[in-house]
Amino acid sequence: MGEMEQMKKEAETLKTQIEAARKAANDTDMASAASGVAPAPRVQLKTRKTLKGHLAKIYAMHWSTDNRLMVSASQDGKLLIWDSHSGNKVNAVPLKSSWVMTCAYAPSGNLVASGGLDNMCTVYNLKTPVIKTVKELDAHTGYLSCTRFLSDTEILTASGDTTCALWDLETGKQKTVFLNHVGDCMCLSLSPDMNSFVSGACDSLAKLWDIRDGQCKQTFQGHTSDINAISFFPSGNAIITGSDDCACKMYDLRADQEVICYQDAALNSGVTSLALSLSGRLIFAGYDDFNCNIWDSLKGEKVGVLSGHDNRVSCTGVPPDGMCVCTGSWDSFLKIWN
Amino acid sequence: MDELDETQLKNHVDSLKQQLQFNREKTSVSIPELIKWIEEKMNEDPFLNPDVLKENPWVESSKCVII
């Protein structure tokens, strides 16, 4: 048997052993453990603000840590910074490339970043008298699907080239490259303690990475198509994923396995985005069918719908204080709901 | 896995060996603790505790005055 064949066999054996170890740890499921929990009430939210200003599809949005400002990215070639309370545009950043797929707000509020089919992550300083490009992070060989700041000096990226990377914003170089996915990386989420992050990819897997040593620590399977959305649970011990297979899943990090699936026979649109309420009890999931469904994370039931967009919901976000949910759509509008 | 070359495949196998070593907690321990965490936080969750949303930045808290 050739070396390659031998290694492929070994990989299959290891995967089987991992599944067996998971089964051994699976002595109860979410349905049984949550049987005594009262179901979450039906959630009916109102649109409090509709943010109008983009001229084309919105692909991404991200809240600032001040719970008030947010950044959105559209293929009209602009990043817009909004004051969500007044609905006013605070800043507009013209992009060199209009094929933007992601944007992010730095925790400090000083910087924003964007990227897309240009394969680059561009970082802008909002605090200089005129908004300046501070860095163009250029090393990925595929599109930039997602980016998140750790601080004003470090940023994480996920790319269609199947890798994720940690960059030093002072040098503009990659510090660490995270290699393990075999499909385009589509999304990432930072852990609350900032020591790890999770990524979702077109290989239908989610992976947990140690930011400092660059290693993939855990791999989560179960989805049958691209994972487009991923989020750490606020407790840091679970993750939620959303996929083109029309389902969302919760994976328990300590037990290293899926514990509940959020799906409905009537739902046959892919999940594009997701965000969690402050306690994690509610999951706001955006779908291709123009709606955002609200799921009870413990019971697996749908408890509400946000309808109002005239096209696909491409992004969702809950600010750190949990006071509302924002949805962004291909219809060019952002809506604030609570 | 068919797209990987020899070095990538070797790294893949090494990674799987590492991942197998992970010390898995029993779900009878991890899930109840997760549920407890959520239930404790629900009091502070604006979507689940209407009192927290009394100060809603997007809703006028006082009546309009005609001047």
Side-chain angles (χ1 to χ4, degrees):
Chain A
M1 216 189 299
E3 267 235 51
M4 295 276 281
E5 279 311 303
Q6 211 156 10
M7 286 198 284
K8 282 185 186 173
K9 256 204 126 191
E10 203 181 348
E12 288 312 307
T13 308
L14 287 164
K15 285 182 189 170
T16 310
Q17 288 173 319
I18 290 172
E19 278 318 297
R22 286 175 171 154
K23 254 199 124 182
N26 190 338
D27 55 353
T28 190
D29 60 13
M30 178 63 87
S32 321
S35 58
V37 176
R42 278 215 67 80
V43 179
Q44 283 171 315
L45 306 182
K46 296 201 173 104
T47 303
R48 300 296 178 186
K49 276 265 181 303
T50 297
L51 306 178
K52 303 181 192 199
H54 279 300
L55 303 170
K57 294 174 174 170
I58 292 173
Y59 274 80
M61 62 82 44
H62 193 214
W63 282 97
S64 164
T65 51
D66 73 358
N67 300 302
R68 181 177 180 133
L69 298 178
M70 35 176 271
V71 60
S72 60
S74 162
Q75 293 203 345
D76 64 6
K78 286 213 170 45
L79 290 186
L80 291 178
I81 314 292
W82 305 86
D83 174 340
S84 66
H85 289 186
S86 63
N88 292 335
K89 297 175 230 358
V90 172
N91 270 315
V93 185
L95 303 174
K96 260 196 201 167
S97 161
S98 63
W99 304 112
V100 66
M101 294 173 69
T102 182
C103 61
Y105 224 121
S108 65
N110 295 330
L111 309 171
V112 288
S114 67
L117 295 183
D118 59 355
N119 297 0
M120 291 195 314
C121 178
T122 308
V123 179
Y124 308 88
N125 188 336
L126 295 178
K127 302 296 184 170
T128 42
V130 176
I131 296 175
K132 267 171 44 160
T133 300
V134 294
K135 274 286 179 299
E136 284 178 335
L137 307 174
D138 193 353
H140 280 300
T141 54
Y143 58 83
L144 202 80
S145 53
C146 191
T147 186
R148 286 292 178 258
F149 285 92
L150 274 78
S151 65
D152 280 5
T153 53
E154 285 183 312
I155 196 168
L156 275 170
T157 54
S159 170
D161 68 10
T162 78
T163 72
C164 295
L166 174 70
W167 304 74
D168 179 329
L169 284 176
E170 281 161 348
T171 61
K173 298 275 182 267
Q174 289 180 331
K175 279 165 110 153
T176 313
V177 182
F178 303 90
L179 301 164
N180 208 279
H181 278 297
V182 295
D184 302 14
C185 293
M186 297 302 290
C187 51
L188 71 89
S189 173
L190 204 45
S191 67
D193 69 7
M194 310 252 276
N195 292 326
S196 48
F197 74 96
V198 284
S199 58
C202 292
D203 56 13
S204 62
L205 302 173
K207 287 180 182 286
L208 174 76
W209 309 85
D210 181 316
I211 291 186
R212 300 304 153 193
D213 72 18
Q215 299 297 311
C216 169
K217 298 300 185 194
Q218 290 170 262
T219 299
F220 302 97
Q221 62 194 45
H223 279 297
T224 51
S225 187
D226 306 355
I227 294 178
N228 298 317
I230 196 163
S231 180
F232 249 97
F233 216 77
S235 65
N237 285 327
I239 62 170
I240 311 280
T241 52
S243 165
D244 271 348
D245 66 12
C246 314
C248 293
K249 288 178 188 291
M250 180 194 290
Y251 293 94
D252 179 327
L253 298 184
R254 293 162 70 198
D256 186 45
Q257 55 192 276
E258 177 183 337
V259 294
I260 183 169
C261 182
Y262 310 97
Q263 65 185 17
D264 199 300
L267 276 177
N268 51 14
S269 305
V271 179
T272 60
S273 52
L274 65 89
L276 301 175
S277 72
L278 190 91
S279 63
R281 185 67 197 263
L282 300 177
I283 301 170
F284 299 96
Y287 292 73
D288 284 343
D289 71 358
F290 311 177
N291 288 328
C292 179
N293 289 314
I294 310 176
W295 297 90
D296 176 339
S297 65
L298 295 182
K299 295 295 207 182
E301 316 255 297
K302 236 174 67 164
V303 294
V305 179
L306 303 178
S307 328
H309 283 293
D310 296 321
N311 207 324
R312 177 185 289 197
V313 173
S314 54
C315 48
T316 30
V318 170
D321 65 1
M323 290 290 270
C324 69
V325 56
C326 178
T327 51
S329 166
W330 279 10
D331 69 8
S332 80
F333 302 121
L334 296 142
K335 287 179 184 287
I336 309 278
W337 314 73
N338 68 15
Chain B
M1 264 206 303
D2 297 326
E3 319 83 11
L4 302 176
D5 64 31
E6 204 169 321
T7 324
Q8 289 171 321
L9 198 46
K10 179 159 193 314
N11 291 336
H12 199 76
V13 168
D14 287 341
S15 175
L16 284 168
K17 284 182 184 157
Q18 263 203 348
Q19 291 178 58
L20 178 59
Q21 295 315 306
F22 183 79
N23 201 358
R24 289 161 187 87
E25 183 60 85
K26 291 231 184 312
T27 50
S28 57
V29 173
S30 62
I31 297 181
E33 285 180 10
L34 185 61
I35 295 174
K36 185 158 173 279
W37 192 96
I38 295 173
E39 290 192 296
E40 282 170 4
K41 268 286 184 169
M42 277 167 65
N43 255 334
E44 301 166 40
D45 192 330
F47 286 110
L48 296 165
N49 183 352
D51 287 338
V52 182
L53 208 47
K54 272 211 182 101
E55 302 278 315
N56 187 342
W58 291 280
V59 173
E60 290 301 323
S61 49
S62 49
K63 294 203 190 322
C64 294
V65 174
I66 301 177
I67 45 171

